[in-house]
Amino acid sequence: METKPFSSAKDLEERRQSSKNASNYHPKTGTRHPFALGYAFARQSLVATMAKSWHLTTETIQLEELARRNVAIRVELLDLVNVRLKAGKAADLDVAEATGDLNVARSGLA
């Protein structure tokens, strides 16, 4: 089928509307074409996927910030335990425990 060149903006709009109507409705039944429904579903699915991805990305950024705070807190706690050890108020086991907690927190960032 050969197409004629567009003669005006009105001709272009008529062809677009005709194409839109032909593609969305079944010619015999006059109901919406199944492909048009599939297209609408695909669009909604894409939008839902994008929204879910945005929420997951935001959550991941927040979790990463919490992990960084956890590491900073564990470093401070290790420093405090070392000060207590020097003052005779803590044992070597307390230092080992604080060091282990810090290593676990750091591994959460990796």
Side-chain angles (χ1 to χ4, degrees), residues 10-23:
K10 183 179 177 188
D11 185 36
L12 175 64
E13 179 60 27
E14 287 174 358
R15 282 193 193 184
R16 188 191 65 76
Q17 190 63 35
S18 172
S19 172
K20 182 179 174 185
N21 289 339
S23 65

Side-chain angles (χ1 to χ4, degrees), residues 28-109:
K28 293 182 181 177
T29 63
T31 58
R32 282 188 71 117
H33 200 279
F35 294 123
L37 295 175
Y39 176 74
F41 174 76
R43 276 186 23 194
Q44 289 175 352
S45 179
L46 180 61
V47 168
T49 301
M50 287 176 56
K52 184 177 180 180
S53 296
W54 182 83
H55 284 288
L56 288 174
T57 301
T58 303
E59 180 184 13
T60 302
I61 290 169
Q62 291 174 347
L63 288 173
E64 184 179 7
E65 178 59 30
L66 284 174
R68 289 181 198 284
R69 283 190 203 167
N70 192 17
V71 168
I73 289 169
R74 297 296 175 175
V75 166
E76 288 180 29
L77 286 174
L78 179 60
D79 292 343
L80 288 174
V81 170
N82 281 325
V83 168
R84 286 177 52 103
L85 179 67
K86 287 180 185 176
K89 298 289 183 180
D92 290 335
L93 180 62
D94 296 325
V95 175
E97 183 180 0
T99 303
D101 289 343
L102 175 59
N103 290 334
V104 168
R106 283 184 177 154
S107 69
L109 278 175

